[in-house]
Amino acid sequence: MPTHSFILNGERVSVDIEDDVRLLWVLRDVLGVTGPKYGCGLRVCMACTSHLNGKAFNPCSVPVSALGESDEVTTIEGLAATSGQDLHPMQEAWIDTDVAQCGYCQPGQIMTAVAKVEQARAEGRSLTDADFDEIRNICRCGTYHRIREAIAAGAAKM
Amino acid sequence: MTQYSRPPRPEEPGPQHPGRRRFLGYVLAAPTLVAAAQIGGTALAPQTARAAGLPTLPQPSELYDLNDLLTDAALPTSGLITVTVNADGTASFALPRAEVGQGITTSSAMLIAEELDLPLDKITVTLADARPELLFNQLTGGSNTTISTYTPIRVAASVARGRLLRAASQVLGDAVDTLTVEAGVITGSGGRSVGYGELAVRAAGAGVEPVAVTLKPASRFTVIGTPQGRIDARDIVTGRKQFAMDLAVPDALPTMVCRPPTINGTVKAVANTAAVAAMPGVTDVAVVSTGVAVRARTFGQCVDAVRALEVTWGPGTEDGRSDADVLKELRAAEIPLLVPAVPLLAKTIDADFTFWFASNSALEPNCAVADVRSGSAEVWAGLKSPIVAQEAIAAELGLPVASVTVHVTQSGGSFGRKLFPDAAVEAAVVSRAMGKPVKLMWHRTDEFRQGRTHPMSTARVRATVLLGQVLTYEQRHTSVSTDFSHGLGEIITALAAKLPVGDLTFSETVFELTQQSPYDFGVTTQLLNEVDTGFNTGSMRNIYSPNVRTAQELVVDRIGEALGKDPYQVRDAFLKDDRTRAVLEKVALDGSWGRAMEPGTAQGIAIHTEYHGAVAVLTEIDCRPATTGRQITDACTGPRVTKVVCAVDVGLAVNPTGLRAQMMGGIMDGIAMALTSSLHLTDGYFQEGSWDDYFYTRQWNTPPELDITVMPPTTGVPGGAGEFGVAAAMASAACAYTRATGSMPTAFPVNHDGPLGFTPLPTVPPIPQSPTDGLDHVS
Ligand code: FES
Ligand code: FES
């Protein structure tokens, strides 16, 4: 069985598993990192959204063999550390806005939000309603409006 | 009935709280302070506490005889909920309800914080395991949690506070009435103080001791009615909140089921069991009644195995049938209207609506962990009806109920799904078949295709209007059968609902109990008929109300036209109840009802009354081509709700923040039901198989402007919240759409009859493979 090695939340991990197993299952079923959630396995619901080298991606759609030794995967569990604080400003904004209902989609929503803000920032602009309209993450509890408020608040503190 | 359940007598005013009712609670024998109250009819305290004995359960005695599980029901502490004060100064409470996102762990903690004078962050609320002795009192549904637990939780907390004061008085040497309490610290007249933690053991009971308490009056509330964030917010945003699939139960490996290509099809034969069992990671393959189960090291390998299985399938329950066939069946079953269509003088308003199948799937799919051994079973799942789950699993496995342990986990949404223990029972069956623990999860595609649905229904409405009055209002709701076999949370009623006639009667009962017409429309009849039990159905958030209410509110607008009144005026003129009128006026004012709008855009306004409350929703919609034609990849765009103004009166909002969140969710559901979300039945299966096929509201459908007002307390008693927003929001969106386009839709959602907005996934294999191109979509 092949061994795969990458950096997960700041620490090197090695996993013995078949090449084609999608990273979501390596994280959840093998490594026990359960923050990224399953909602479709089809790159549709975005519940599994995490970061690869600082950008948003969907581990349900990436075979573990596609990762290289130096790739850095950050899940919701590792987000705060990237800001050097107990909580990332976006997580704080989520708490202040009391966004969550069941919470199942929220790790993915937060990871999307952070990447979205950073992407806009890299383009030298701030987020607009049109950007919010493009967010694909499902929230079946319908917290969409508070998500918009929280992203705006979190962005201001990032 | 016991002496404590009699109606309250006029009370002699007590020395401190004149004229207020006293309730009976208990202190239980335990190492630390455990205070309790009875759930399901909190006992009123007798005039003198000395006469107190122990309560017996209020349910009829024959229920006990039928149920050998309930041997412990005779224990004096059965049916009690308990608040424990721990030696570290915290309090804990196991809520016999399911948290599915509605925020009841937070609101329950608030009730305890209020009566106990302990900060919210010192209170832990967990979810209780199945407690069969609670009988009807462990069902989460009908937006009933706060209504039914509001008093018992406060009684238990109040008993605890009283005991802590008594213990503090001994420690401090001060009389109880000279003590003050703040944030879990009791201070005596001399300024010396002692914390709850130091008193918890001293205050513990040695035996069961009844205690009469008087609850805090609303005028002294400092927690109830104040906006509070969720107690699990931090766990949620850090990924620490655990759902069933996040639990690390030893050896419970991922498990999935290969399901039939048509609804409820059955397995005839499997051609390649051995080959699939030899696939990478796969440990077991087993045929069960719902399909072929596979267990593997990862869910990814389960997906591979499910897709590789070669199964010959037997027929399902709806093979070959499509939307149009079911509609025909419903039309044939409609109960006739009584008033003739062409009365002599009056004007008749006739309307006819179809509501297509919809999915109540949550984002967390059906899932459960099960570990079945010889002679016992342990199951973990998000369950709103855990007693039904426990008894159904026991029956399925042939075990005594007492040998089945059911843990209620946090749920990733419900919307009616978690009322049924489908995944828990299936997991138990698979675990037994494989002889190993399993972590069973449904694939998303199965959720839409084989999961429960909100049944298709029709509404036929006729109203007659004469001389400025509405003479008659008739509505006939005809639906594919709604499965209520989760009963009232207890297996005996569940069995009753499974009787062929019993189920229909039960549906009619629910319909009768939930559907009131809020208008003075003369002779009013609203009747339900249900047909066809071949579908997997269940109540979706707010059950019948969104469809019934949408039909009625659209007709109310037509009645207004006939009477020369606009939608606001006609409601204001005919509403029965002032609380409803108040929310209507609130949204009309805050939403600038009647403001001039561009052609192709319009306002709609609608109300709903249920759960001891009233809600109004004003919607603005944009149906102009530039909006409806906007292009977003793999998205259903269409008309855009641009603004929603909502006002809600639940009598007393325990947590206004939580209530607002519930309304927001209900509004998103209502928009989806009116405009975008439905299932298309074709040739015996539902075509939808992913969230890009089933168009629940997404960010691009979300109203950019949203304003929700929680009305000040009216009745002083909390009503229901969880489902309350949906009906008025759906109706309001439908009314706005009608006014913007100038024609009233006859079917919902309005996009259902248009071209299918997606390419259906194949049915064999039943689930799609995950993409591999994720790295091309990094952003
Ligand atoms: S689970 Fe990855 S996008 Fe849905
Ligand atoms: S909070 Fe429940 S799915 Fe988003």
Side-chain angles (χ1 to χ4, degrees), chain B residues 36 83 246 302 423 486 492 570 727 743 746:
Chain B
V83 171
D246 303 336
C302 290
H486 56 80
I492 296 163
V570 66
S743 81
T746 53

Side-chain angles (χ1 to χ4, degrees), chain B residues 259-484:
Chain B
R259 298 179 195 278
T262 61
I263 294 169
N264 298 325
T266 49
V267 180
K268 273 192 162 161
V270 185
N272 60 345
T273 307
V276 171
M279 287 175 69
V282 176
T283 64
D284 298 83
V285 178
V287 174
V288 292
S289 64
T290 45
V292 185
V294 294
R295 178 175 175 274
R297 187 178 175 208
T298 66
F299 277 110
Q301 290 157 324
C302 290
V303 170
D304 296 343
V306 166
R307 289 174 52 81
L309 280 165
E310 289 165 21
V311 186
T312 312
W313 297 100
T317 49
E318 298 287 346
D319 285 8
R321 310 233 310 150
S322 295
D323 277 341
D325 305 310
V326 182
L327 182 57
K328 219 163 119 188
E329 190 183 1
L330 291 177
R331 288 291 181 214
E334 283 173 354
I335 301 171
L337 297 162
L338 297 174
V339 176
V342 198
L344 280 181
L345 295 168
K347 182 172 165 53
T348 308
I349 295 159
D350 264 298
D352 227 321
F353 304 98
T354 302
F355 301 94
W356 301 108
F357 281 104
S359 171
N360 61 3
S361 180
L363 186 55
E364 174 194 39
N366 287 342
C367 58
V369 178
D371 185 355
V372 177
R373 307 285 168 102
S374 79
S376 73
E378 193 167 7
V379 174
W380 295 257
L383 294 163
K384 295 181 98 179
S385 218
I387 302 172
V388 169
Q390 185 187 31
E391 304 204 1
I393 291 165
E396 193 69 48
L397 301 178
L399 288 175
V401 176
S403 305
V404 178
T405 306
V406 172
H407 305 287
V408 180
T409 62
Q410 302 278 342
S411 295
S414 169
F415 319 106
R417 263 298 158 97
K418 305 275 158 79
L419 279 166
F420 293 89
D422 297 331
V425 175
E426 192 175 55
V429 167
V430 172
S431 174
R432 180 183 54 180
M434 294 177 173
K436 295 172 187 169
V438 299
K439 179 185 274 194
L440 180 137
M441 183 173 80
W442 284 41
H443 192 278
R444 173 58 51 200
T445 302
D446 294 330
E447 283 277 307
F448 287 118
R449 292 191 162 162
Q450 297 288 345
R452 291 178 182 273
T453 64
H454 177 57
M456 189 199 291
S457 65
T458 63
R460 191 175 279 271
V461 186
R462 180 173 296 159
T464 54
V465 178
L466 181 68
L467 300 174
Q469 284 305 315
V470 183
L471 300 183
T472 63
Y473 179 89
E474 295 179 280
Q475 184 158 345
R476 301 289 178 264
H477 197 73
T478 313
S479 178
V480 166
S481 289
T482 308
D483 187 346
F484 280 109

Side-chain angles (χ1 to χ4, degrees), chain A residues 24 37-49 58 60-61:
Chain A
L24 178 61
K37 298 293 185 245
Y38 167 85
C40 69
L42 302 171
R43 201 164 36 74
V44 164
C45 75
M46 309 288 146
C48 66
T49 305
N58 293 106
C60 71
S61 304

